[in-house]
Amino acid sequence: ISLYFDFLFMWVPELTVAMIILYYYTGPACFGCLAILLIYAPFQCFMANILSRFRSKSIVLTDDRLRLMSEILPAMRVIKMYVWEKPFAALVHVARKLEIGKIRQAMILRSVNLSLYFASPKLMAFVVIILYLLDETKNMNAEVIFVTLSLVFQMREIVTYFLPLGISNSVEAYISSKRIEEFLLEDEVGQMEVFDQKVEVPSIEMKDVNVVSPLDDTPILRDITFDVKPGKLTADEYKEMQKHPLIGAEIIGDCDSD
């Protein structure tokens, strides 16, 4: 499902082993570190829930923007012809602004998680060392300091880095799988019916046509009959077409003589 999915389950045994070793060196002072981790875990679940909501909304806005761009790009010539650049640019700007707003909110939450990642080991080590020093019967030495710091940093990696990554990646994988499921469960589009319809070849046919002058109603053509059809001419039709210039010249000569 995700690269860090196993940390959703492995953080508990790893944290338990680290706490046992830390208890061996620092005693009850290790429970201060455990208290911080127990406070941090529910906070991580809360942050993951909010991040999933922002992620779902940003995906919808991304789909709307991509749909808008897919409609604009093929019609770019029409937009240029009617000078509609500014209205369509405003639509894209609004769609992009809404999308960036949701992404910005998600990034703010991620930055909070990242800040806690860098601040948590210092806080946990500080609490453990202060509680250890409150016990006057124990002496602080280099062995206790280095073991405490190494275990605290190890628990930091588990709880404040790998666990949040496992939660966020699992949430994104869940959202993606739900979107794929919705797409696959859509109603099937019926098979398009292909009509075997014979397309009529266009042609022009005129019979017994009389043409007169619009000025003085002088007859120009009388009883003209012809048929224009697509395709190549036959030999007989070609011979007939050769007579047309002569007929036209004769008609024009008659009109000039009149």
Coordinates of all heavy atoms in Angstrom, one line a residue, residues 101-186:
G101 N -5.0 27.3 -2.5 CA -5.5 27.6 -1.1 C -5.5 26.3 -0.3 O -5.0 26.2 0.9
K102 N -6.1 25.2 -0.8 CA -6.2 24.0 -0.1 C -4.8 23.3 0.0 O -4.5 22.8 1.1 CB -7.1 23.0 -0.8 CG -8.6 23.4 -0.8 CD -9.1 23.6 0.6 CE -10.5 24.0 0.6 NZ -11.1 24.2 2.0
I103 N -4.0 23.4 -1.0 CA -2.6 22.9 -0.9 C -1.8 23.6 0.1 O -1.0 23.0 0.9 CB -1.9 22.9 -2.3 CG1 -2.7 22.0 -3.3 CG2 -0.5 22.5 -2.2 CD1 -2.2 22.1 -4.7
R104 N -2.0 25.0 0.2 CA -1.2 25.8 1.2 C -1.6 25.3 2.6 O -0.8 25.2 3.5 CB -1.5 27.2 1.0 CG -0.7 28.1 1.9 CD -1.0 29.6 1.7 NE -0.6 30.1 0.4 CZ -1.4 30.4 -0.6 NH1 -2.7 30.3 -0.4 NH2 -0.9 30.8 -1.7
Q105 N -2.9 25.1 2.8 CA -3.3 24.7 4.2 C -2.8 23.3 4.5 O -2.3 23.1 5.7 CB -4.9 24.7 4.2 CG -5.5 26.0 4.1 CD -7.0 25.9 4.0 OE1 -7.6 24.9 3.9 NE2 -7.7 27.1 4.0
A106 N -2.7 22.4 3.6 CA -2.1 21.1 3.8 C -0.6 21.2 4.1 O -0.1 20.5 5.0 CB -2.4 20.2 2.6
M107 N 0.1 22.1 3.4 CA 1.5 22.3 3.6 C 1.8 22.9 5.0 O 2.8 22.7 5.6 CB 2.1 23.2 2.5 CG 2.1 22.5 1.1 SD 3.2 21.0 1.1 CE 1.9 19.7 1.1
I108 N 0.9 23.8 5.4 CA 1.1 24.4 6.8 C 1.0 23.3 7.8 O 1.8 23.2 8.8 CB 0.0 25.4 7.0 CG1 0.2 26.7 6.2 CG2 0.0 25.9 8.5 CD1 -0.8 27.7 6.2
L109 N 0.1 22.4 7.7 CA 0.0 21.2 8.6 C 1.2 20.3 8.5 O 1.7 19.8 9.6 CB -1.3 20.4 8.4 CG -2.6 21.2 8.6 CD1 -3.8 20.3 8.3 CD2 -2.7 21.7 10.1
R110 N 1.7 20.1 7.3 CA 2.9 19.3 7.2 C 4.1 20.0 7.8 O 5.0 19.3 8.4 CB 3.2 19.0 5.7 CG 2.2 18.1 5.1 CD 2.5 17.8 3.6 NE 1.5 17.0 3.0 CZ 1.5 15.6 3.0 NH1 2.5 15.0 3.6 NH2 0.6 15.0 2.4
S111 N 4.2 21.3 7.7 CA 5.3 22.1 8.3 C 5.2 22.0 9.9 O 6.2 21.9 10.5 CB 5.2 23.5 7.9 OG 4.1 24.2 8.3
V112 N 4.0 21.9 10.4 CA 3.8 21.8 11.9 C 4.4 20.4 12.3 O 5.1 20.3 13.3 CB 2.4 21.9 12.3 CG1 2.2 21.5 13.7 CG2 1.9 23.3 12.0
N113 N 4.1 19.4 11.5 CA 4.6 18.0 11.8 C 6.1 18.0 11.7 O 6.8 17.4 12.5 CB 4.0 17.0 10.8 CG 2.6 16.5 11.3 OD1 2.3 16.7 12.4 ND2 1.9 16.0 10.3
L114 N 6.7 18.7 10.7 CA 8.1 18.7 10.5 C 8.8 19.5 11.7 O 9.9 19.1 12.1 CB 8.4 19.4 9.2 CG 9.9 19.3 8.7 CD1 10.3 17.8 8.6 CD2 10.1 20.0 7.4
S115 N 8.2 20.6 12.1 CA 8.7 21.3 13.3 C 8.8 20.5 14.5 O 9.7 20.5 15.3 CB 8.0 22.6 13.5 OG 6.6 22.3 13.8
L116 N 7.7 19.7 14.7 CA 7.7 18.8 15.9 C 8.7 17.7 15.8 O 9.3 17.2 16.8 CB 6.3 18.2 16.1 CG 5.2 19.2 16.5 CD1 3.8 18.4 16.5 CD2 5.5 19.8 17.8
Y117 N 9.0 17.3 14.5 CA 10.0 16.3 14.3 C 11.4 16.8 14.8 O 12.2 16.0 15.4 CB 10.1 15.9 12.8 CG 11.2 15.1 12.4 CD1 11.3 13.7 12.8 CD2 12.3 15.6 11.8 CE1 12.4 13.0 12.4 CE2 13.4 14.9 11.4 CZ 13.4 13.5 11.7 OH 14.5 12.8 11.3
F118 N 11.7 18.0 14.6 CA 13.0 18.6 15.0 C 13.0 19.0 16.5 O 14.1 19.0 17.1 CB 13.4 19.7 14.1 CG 13.8 19.4 12.7 CD1 12.9 19.6 11.7 CD2 15.0 18.7 12.5 CE1 13.3 19.3 10.4 CE2 15.3 18.4 11.2 CZ 14.5 18.6 10.1
A119 N 11.9 19.3 17.0 CA 11.8 19.8 18.4 C 11.6 18.7 19.4 O 12.0 18.9 20.6 CB 10.7 20.9 18.6
S120 N 11.0 17.6 19.0 CA 10.7 16.6 20.0 C 11.8 15.9 20.6 O 11.8 15.7 21.9 CB 9.8 15.5 19.3 OG 10.4 15.0 18.2
P121 N 13.0 15.6 20.0 CA 14.0 14.9 20.7 C 14.7 15.8 21.8 O 15.1 15.3 22.8 CB 15.0 14.5 19.6 CG 14.8 15.5 18.5 CD 13.3 15.7 18.6
K122 N 14.8 17.1 21.5 CA 15.3 18.0 22.5 C 14.4 18.0 23.7 O 14.9 18.0 24.9 CB 15.5 19.4 22.0 CG 16.7 19.6 21.0 CD 16.5 19.1 19.6 CE 17.6 19.4 18.7 NZ 17.4 18.9 17.3
L123 N 13.1 18.1 23.5 CA 12.2 18.1 24.6 C 12.2 16.8 25.4 O 12.2 16.9 26.7 CB 10.8 18.4 24.1 CG 9.7 18.5 25.1 CD1 10.0 19.7 26.1 CD2 8.3 18.8 24.4
M124 N 12.2 15.7 24.7 CA 12.2 14.4 25.4 C 13.5 14.2 26.2 O 13.4 13.8 27.4 CB 12.0 13.3 24.4 CG 10.6 13.3 23.8 SD 10.2 11.8 22.8 CE 11.3 12.1 21.4
A125 N 14.6 14.5 25.6 CA 15.9 14.4 26.3 C 16.0 15.3 27.5 O 16.5 14.9 28.6 CB 17.0 14.6 25.3
F126 N 15.5 16.5 27.3 CA 15.5 17.5 28.4 C 14.6 17.0 29.6 O 15.1 17.0 30.8 CB 14.9 18.8 27.9 CG 14.8 19.9 29.0 CD1 15.9 20.5 29.5 CD2 13.6 20.2 29.5 CE1 15.8 21.5 30.5 CE2 13.5 21.1 30.5 CZ 14.6 21.8 31.0
V127 N 13.4 16.5 29.3 CA 12.6 16.0 30.4 C 13.2 14.8 31.1 O 13.2 14.7 32.4 CB 11.2 15.6 29.8 CG1 10.3 14.9 30.9 CG2 10.5 16.9 29.3
V128 N 13.8 13.8 30.4 CA 14.4 12.6 31.0 C 15.5 13.0 31.8 O 15.7 12.5 33.0 CB 14.8 11.6 29.9 CG1 15.6 10.5 30.5 CG2 13.5 11.1 29.2
I129 N 16.4 13.9 31.4 CA 17.6 14.3 32.1 C 17.2 15.1 33.4 O 17.8 14.9 34.5 CB 18.6 15.1 31.2 CG1 19.1 14.2 30.1 CG2 19.7 15.7 32.1 CD1 20.0 14.9 29.1
I130 N 16.2 16.0 33.3 CA 15.8 16.7 34.5 C 15.2 15.8 35.5 O 15.5 15.9 36.7 CB 14.8 17.8 34.0 CG1 15.5 18.9 33.2 CG2 14.1 18.4 35.3 CD1 16.6 19.7 34.0
L131 N 14.4 14.9 35.1 CA 13.8 13.9 36.1 C 14.8 13.0 36.7 O 14.8 12.6 37.8 CB 12.7 13.1 35.4 CG 11.4 13.9 35.0 CD1 10.5 12.9 34.2 CD2 10.7 14.5 36.2
Y132 N 15.8 12.7 35.9 CA 16.9 11.8 36.4 C 17.8 12.6 37.4 O 18.2 12.0 38.4 CB 17.8 11.4 35.2 CG 18.9 10.4 35.6 CD1 18.6 9.1 35.7 CD2 20.2 10.9 35.8 CE1 19.6 8.2 36.1 CE2 21.2 10.0 36.1 CZ 20.9 8.7 36.3 OH 21.9 7.8 36.6
L133 N 18.0 13.9 37.2 CA 18.8 14.7 38.1 C 18.0 15.0 39.4 O 18.7 15.3 40.4 CB 19.2 16.0 37.5 CG 20.2 15.8 36.3 CD1 20.5 17.2 35.7 CD2 21.5 15.2 36.8
L134 N 16.7 14.9 39.4 CA 15.9 15.1 40.6 C 16.1 14.0 41.6 O 15.9 14.2 42.8 CB 14.5 15.3 40.2 CG 14.1 16.5 39.5 CD1 12.6 16.5 39.1 CD2 14.4 17.8 40.2
D135 N 16.6 12.9 41.1 CA 16.8 11.7 42.1 C 18.3 11.9 42.5 O 19.2 11.7 41.8 CB 16.6 10.4 41.3 CG 16.6 9.2 42.3 OD1 16.9 9.5 43.5 OD2 16.4 8.1 41.8
E136 N 18.4 12.2 43.8 CA 19.8 12.5 44.4 C 20.6 11.2 44.5 O 21.8 11.3 44.7 CB 19.6 13.2 45.7 CG 19.0 14.6 45.6 CD 18.8 15.3 46.9 OE1 19.2 14.6 48.0 OE2 18.4 16.4 47.0
T137 N 19.9 10.1 44.5 CA 20.7 8.8 44.7 C 21.4 8.4 43.5 O 22.2 7.4 43.5 CB 19.7 7.7 45.1 OG1 18.7 7.5 44.1 CG2 19.0 8.1 46.4
K138 N 21.1 9.0 42.3 CA 21.8 8.6 41.0 C 22.7 9.7 40.6 O 22.5 10.8 40.8 CB 20.7 8.3 40.0 CG 19.8 7.1 40.3 CD 18.8 6.9 39.2 CE 17.9 5.7 39.6 NZ 16.9 5.4 38.5
N139 N 23.8 9.2 39.9 CA 24.8 10.1 39.4 C 24.8 10.1 37.9 O 24.6 9.1 37.2 CB 26.2 9.6 39.9 CG 26.4 9.7 41.4 OD1 25.9 10.6 42.0 ND2 27.1 8.7 41.9
M140 N 24.9 11.3 37.4 CA 24.9 11.5 35.9 C 26.3 11.3 35.4 O 27.3 11.8 35.9 CB 24.4 12.9 35.6 CG 24.4 13.2 34.1 SD 23.1 12.2 33.2 CE 21.6 12.9 33.9
N141 N 26.4 10.4 34.3 CA 27.7 10.2 33.7 C 27.5 10.1 32.2 O 26.4 10.2 31.7 CB 28.3 8.9 34.2 CG 27.3 7.7 34.1 OD1 26.6 7.6 33.1 ND2 27.3 6.9 35.2
A142 N 28.6 10.0 31.5 CA 28.6 10.0 30.0 C 27.8 8.8 29.5 O 27.1 8.9 28.4 CB 30.0 10.0 29.5
E143 N 27.9 7.7 30.1 CA 27.2 6.5 29.6 C 25.7 6.7 29.6 O 25.0 6.4 28.6 CB 27.5 5.3 30.5 CG 26.8 4.0 30.1 CD 27.1 2.8 31.0 OE1 27.8 3.0 32.0 OE2 26.7 1.7 30.7
V144 N 25.1 7.3 30.7 CA 23.7 7.5 30.8 C 23.3 8.6 29.7 O 22.3 8.5 29.0 CB 23.3 8.0 32.2 CG1 21.8 8.4 32.2 CG2 23.6 6.9 33.2
I145 N 24.1 9.6 29.6 CA 23.8 10.7 28.6 C 23.7 10.2 27.2 O 22.7 10.4 26.5 CB 24.8 11.8 28.7 CG1 24.7 12.6 30.1 CG2 24.6 12.9 27.6 CD1 23.3 13.3 30.3
F146 N 24.7 9.5 26.8 CA 24.8 9.0 25.4 C 23.7 8.0 25.1 O 23.1 8.0 24.0 CB 26.2 8.5 25.1 CG 27.2 9.6 24.8 CD1 28.2 9.8 25.8 CD2 27.2 10.4 23.7 CE1 29.1 10.8 25.6 CE2 28.1 11.4 23.5 CZ 29.1 11.6 24.4
V147 N 23.5 7.1 26.0 CA 22.5 6.1 25.8 C 21.1 6.7 25.7 O 20.2 6.4 24.9 CB 22.5 5.0 26.9 CG1 21.3 4.1 26.8 CG2 23.8 4.2 26.8
T148 N 20.8 7.7 26.6 CA 19.6 8.4 26.6 C 19.3 9.1 25.3 O 18.3 9.0 24.7 CB 19.5 9.4 27.8 OG1 19.7 8.6 29.0 CG2 18.2 10.1 27.8
L149 N 20.3 9.8 24.9 CA 20.2 10.6 23.6 C 20.0 9.7 22.4 O 19.2 10.0 21.6 CB 21.4 11.5 23.4 CG 21.6 12.7 24.4 CD1 22.9 13.4 24.1 CD2 20.4 13.6 24.3
S150 N 20.7 8.6 22.4 CA 20.6 7.7 21.2 C 19.2 7.0 21.2 O 18.6 6.9 20.1 CB 21.7 6.6 21.3 OG 21.5 5.8 22.4
L151 N 18.7 6.6 22.4 CA 17.3 6.0 22.4 C 16.3 7.1 22.2 O 15.2 6.7 21.5 CB 17.1 5.4 23.8 CG 18.0 4.1 24.1 CD1 17.7 3.7 25.6 CD2 17.6 3.0 23.2
V152 N 16.5 8.3 22.6 CA 15.5 9.3 22.4 C 15.4 9.6 20.9 O 14.3 9.8 20.3 CB 15.8 10.6 23.2 CG1 15.0 11.8 22.7 CG2 15.5 10.4 24.7
F153 N 16.6 9.7 20.3 CA 16.6 10.0 18.8 C 16.0 8.8 18.0 O 15.3 9.0 17.0 CB 18.0 10.3 18.3 CG 18.4 11.7 18.5 CD1 19.0 12.2 19.7 CD2 18.2 12.6 17.5 CE1 19.4 13.5 19.8 CE2 18.6 13.9 17.6 CZ 19.1 14.4 18.8
Q154 N 16.2 7.6 18.5 CA 15.6 6.5 17.8 C 14.1 6.5 18.0 O 13.3 6.2 17.0 CB 16.1 5.2 18.4 CG 15.6 3.9 17.8 CD 16.1 3.8 16.3 OE1 17.1 4.3 15.9 NE2 15.2 3.2 15.5
M155 N 13.6 6.8 19.2 CA 12.1 6.9 19.3 C 11.5 8.1 18.6 O 10.4 8.0 18.1 CB 11.8 7.0 20.8 CG 12.0 5.8 21.6 SD 11.5 5.9 23.4 CE 12.7 7.0 24.0
R156 N 12.4 9.1 18.4 CA 11.9 10.3 17.6 C 11.7 9.8 16.2 O 10.7 10.2 15.5 CB 13.0 11.4 17.7 CG 12.6 12.7 17.0 CD 12.9 12.8 15.5 NE 14.3 12.6 15.2 CZ 15.2 13.6 15.1 NH1 14.8 14.8 15.2 NH2 16.5 13.3 14.8
E157 N 12.6 9.1 15.6 CA 12.5 8.6 14.3 C 11.3 7.8 14.1 O 10.6 7.8 13.0 CB 13.8 7.8 13.9 CG 15.0 8.6 13.8 CD 15.0 9.5 12.6 OE1 14.3 9.2 11.6 OE2 15.7 10.6 12.6
I158 N 10.9 6.9 15.1 CA 9.8 6.0 14.9 C 8.5 6.8 15.0 O 7.6 6.6 14.2 CB 9.9 4.9 16.0 CG1 11.2 4.1 15.8 CG2 8.6 4.0 16.0 CD1 11.4 3.1 17.0
V159 N 8.3 7.6 16.1 CA 7.0 8.2 16.4 C 6.8 9.5 15.6 O 5.7 9.7 15.2 CB 6.9 8.4 17.9 CG1 5.6 9.0 18.3 CG2 7.1 7.1 18.7
T160 N 7.8 10.3 15.5 CA 7.6 11.6 14.8 C 8.0 11.7 13.4 O 7.8 12.7 12.8 CB 8.4 12.7 15.6 OG1 9.8 12.4 15.5 CG2 8.0 12.7 17.1
Y161 N 8.5 10.6 12.8 CA 8.9 10.6 11.4 C 8.2 9.5 10.6 O 7.4 9.7 9.7 CB 10.4 10.6 11.2 CG 10.8 10.7 9.7 CD1 10.7 11.9 9.0 CD2 11.3 9.6 9.1 CE1 11.0 12.0 7.7 CE2 11.7 9.7 7.8 CZ 11.6 10.8 7.1 OH 12.0 10.9 5.8
F162 N 8.6 8.3 11.0 CA 8.0 7.1 10.2 C 6.6 6.9 10.4 O 5.8 6.6 9.5 CB 8.8 5.8 10.6 CG 10.3 5.9 10.1 CD1 11.3 5.9 11.0 CD2 10.5 5.8 8.7 CE1 12.6 6.0 10.6 CE2 11.9 5.9 8.3 CZ 12.9 5.9 9.2
L163 N 6.1 7.1 11.7 CA 4.7 6.9 11.9 C 3.8 8.0 11.2 O 2.8 7.6 10.6 CB 4.4 7.0 13.4 CG 2.9 6.8 13.9 CD1 2.4 5.5 13.4 CD2 2.8 6.9 15.4
P164 N 4.2 9.3 11.2 CA 3.4 10.2 10.4 C 3.4 9.9 8.9 O 2.4 10.1 8.2 CB 4.1 11.6 10.8 CG 4.7 11.4 12.1 CD 5.1 10.0 12.1
L165 N 4.6 9.5 8.4 CA 4.7 9.2 7.0 C 3.8 8.0 6.7 O 3.1 7.9 5.7 CB 6.1 8.9 6.6 CG 7.0 10.0 6.4 CD1 8.4 9.6 6.0 CD2 6.5 10.9 5.3
G166 N 3.8 7.0 7.6 CA 2.9 5.8 7.4 C 1.4 6.2 7.4 O 0.6 5.7 6.6
I167 N 1.1 7.1 8.3 CA -0.3 7.6 8.4 C -0.7 8.4 7.1 O -1.8 8.1 6.5 CB -0.6 8.4 9.7 CG1 -0.4 7.5 10.9 CG2 -2.0 9.0 9.7 CD1 -0.5 8.2 12.2
S168 N 0.1 9.4 6.8 CA -0.2 10.2 5.6 C -0.2 9.4 4.3 O -1.2 9.6 3.5 CB 0.8 11.4 5.5 OG 2.1 10.9 5.3
N169 N 0.7 8.5 4.1 CA 0.7 7.7 2.9 C -0.4 6.8 2.8 O -1.0 6.5 1.8 CB 2.1 7.0 2.8 CG 3.2 7.9 2.5 OD1 3.0 9.1 2.2 ND2 4.4 7.4 2.6
S170 N -0.8 6.2 4.0 CA -1.9 5.3 4.0 C -3.2 6.0 3.7 O -4.1 5.5 3.0 CB -2.0 4.6 5.4 OG -0.8 3.8 5.6
V171 N -3.3 7.3 4.2 CA -4.5 8.1 4.0 C -4.6 8.4 2.5 O -5.7 8.3 1.9 CB -4.5 9.3 4.8 CG1 -5.6 10.3 4.3 CG2 -4.7 9.0 6.3
E172 N -3.5 8.8 1.9 CA -3.5 9.1 0.4 C -3.8 7.8 -0.4 O -4.5 7.9 -1.4 CB -2.2 9.7 0.0 CG -1.9 11.1 0.6 CD -0.6 11.7 0.1 OE1 0.1 11.0 -0.7 OE2 -0.3 12.8 0.5
A173 N -3.3 6.7 0.0 CA -3.6 5.5 -0.7 C -5.0 5.1 -0.6 O -5.7 4.6 -1.5 CB -2.7 4.3 -0.1
Y174 N -5.6 5.4 0.6 CA -7.1 5.1 0.8 C -7.9 6.0 -0.1 O -8.9 5.5 -0.7 CB -7.4 5.3 2.3 CG -8.9 5.2 2.6 CD1 -9.6 4.0 2.6 CD2 -9.7 6.4 2.8 CE1 -10.9 3.9 2.8 CE2 -11.0 6.3 3.0 CZ -11.6 5.1 3.1 OH -13.0 5.0 3.3
I175 N -7.5 7.3 -0.1 CA -8.3 8.2 -1.0 C -8.2 7.8 -2.5 O -9.2 7.8 -3.2 CB -7.8 9.6 -0.8 CG1 -8.1 10.1 0.7 CG2 -8.4 10.6 -1.8 CD1 -7.5 11.4 1.0
S176 N -7.0 7.5 -2.9 CA -6.8 7.1 -4.3 C -7.6 5.8 -4.6 O -8.2 5.7 -5.7 CB -5.3 6.8 -4.6 OG -4.6 8.0 -4.3
S177 N -7.6 4.8 -3.7 CA -8.3 3.6 -3.9 C -9.8 3.9 -4.0 O -10.6 3.2 -4.8 CB -8.0 2.6 -2.8 OG -8.4 3.0 -1.6
K178 N -10.3 4.8 -3.2 CA -11.8 5.1 -3.2 C -12.1 5.8 -4.5 O -13.2 5.5 -5.1 CB -12.1 6.1 -2.1 CG -12.0 5.4 -0.7 CD -13.1 4.3 -0.5 CE -14.5 4.8 -0.5 NZ -15.5 3.8 -0.3
R179 N -11.2 6.7 -5.1 CA -11.5 7.3 -6.3 C -11.5 6.3 -7.5 O -12.3 6.3 -8.4 CB -10.4 8.4 -6.6 CG -10.6 9.6 -5.7 CD -9.4 10.5 -5.9 NE -9.1 10.9 -7.3 CZ -9.7 11.9 -7.9 NH1 -10.7 12.6 -7.3 NH2 -9.4 12.2 -9.1
I180 N -10.6 5.3 -7.4 CA -10.5 4.2 -8.4 C -11.8 3.4 -8.3 O -12.4 3.0 -9.3 CB -9.3 3.4 -8.3 CG1 -8.0 4.3 -8.6 CG2 -9.3 2.2 -9.2 CD1 -6.7 3.6 -8.3
E181 N -12.2 3.1 -7.1 CA -13.4 2.3 -6.9 C -14.7 3.0 -7.4 O -15.5 2.4 -8.1 CB -13.6 2.0 -5.4 CG -14.8 1.2 -5.1 CD -15.0 1.0 -3.6 OE1 -14.2 1.5 -2.8 OE2 -16.0 0.3 -3.2
E182 N -14.8 4.3 -7.2 CA -15.9 5.1 -7.7 C -15.9 5.1 -9.2 O -17.0 4.9 -9.9 CB -15.9 6.5 -7.2 CG -16.1 6.6 -5.7 CD -16.0 8.1 -5.2 OE1 -15.7 8.9 -6.1 OE2 -16.2 8.3 -4.0
F183 N -14.7 5.1 -9.8 CA -14.6 5.1 -11.3 C -15.0 3.8 -11.8 O -15.8 3.7 -12.8 CB -13.2 5.5 -11.7 CG -13.0 5.3 -13.2 CD1 -13.5 6.3 -14.1 CD2 -12.3 4.3 -13.7 CE1 -13.3 6.2 -15.4 CE2 -12.1 4.1 -15.1 CZ -12.6 5.1 -15.9
L184 N -14.6 2.7 -11.2 CA -14.9 1.3 -11.7 C -16.3 0.9 -11.4 O -16.9 0.1 -12.2 CB -14.0 0.3 -11.0 CG -12.5 0.4 -11.3 CD1 -11.7 -0.6 -10.5 CD2 -12.2 0.3 -12.8
L185 N -17.0 1.6 -10.5 CA -18.4 1.3 -10.2 C -19.4 2.1 -10.9 O -20.6 2.0 -10.7 CB -18.6 1.4 -8.7 CG -17.9 0.3 -7.8 CD1 -18.2 0.6 -6.3 CD2 -18.3 -1.1 -8.2
E186 N -18.9 3.0 -11.8 CA -19.8 3.8 -12.6 C -20.6 2.9 -13.6 O -20.2 1.8 -13.9 CB -19.0 4.8 -13.4 CG -18.3 5.9 -12.6 CD -19.4 6.9 -12.1 OE1 -20.5 7.0 -12.7 OE2 -19.1 7.7 -11.2

